[in-house]
Amino acid sequence: MKPEVVIIDLKNNNNVIRRPINADSAIMHWTKQVIALKAQSRTLQIFDLEAKAKLKSATMNEDVVFWKWFSPTTLGLVTDSAVYHWDIFDATQA
């Protein structure tokens, strides 16, 4: 069985969306149809589900041990030696 993420849209009559993923974990943005995926603790990808487009991707030099949306535009990433903030809508920020 292929792994998948299941999104339940509470604002849209509990609509269930299933997407196949190759990721260890996923976190959904709290107000937008944006999902962040993490694979092998280092590879990060951000997708806009409404536009069906990848917004950003990156591979970290260290494992990400904790991550969380901490503002409407920014994802916080914690490794064993550093804390990063990643603005997912800023096209100038890699």
Side-chain angles (χ1 to χ4, degrees):
M1 189 164 106
K2 186 164 171 87
E4 65 182 3
V5 65
V6 178
I7 302 164
I8 301 170
D9 189 346
L10 300 176
K11 293 181 181 178
N12 187 12
N13 203 26
N14 294 337
N15 184 38
V16 176
I17 302 164
R18 294 178 181 270
R19 296 275 193 262
I21 62 164
N22 291 319
D24 304 327
S25 59
I27 51 176
M28 194 76 192
H29 191 281
W30 65 83
T31 59
K32 300 184 184 306
Q33 290 283 321
V34 173
I35 192 167
L37 302 174
K38 181 174 64 156
Q40 294 137 4
S41 298
R42 293 187 180 205
T43 303
L44 305 166
Q45 295 183 321
I46 313 296
F47 291 95
D48 182 331
L49 298 175
E50 208 166 34
K52 295 183 177 164
K54 186 192 302 187
L55 297 176
K56 288 192 171 186
S57 65
T59 301
M60 304 291 287
N61 292 327
E62 299 177 86
D63 289 355
V64 175
V65 295
F66 180 79
W67 63 327
K68 181 178 179 166
W69 291 102
F70 70 88
S71 83
T73 61
T74 307
L75 195 60
L77 308 167
V78 179
T79 69
D80 282 336
S81 64
V83 176
Y84 300 92
H85 57 89
W86 193 20
D87 186 328
I88 59 134
F89 297 109
D90 182 355
T92 64
Q93 187 185 35

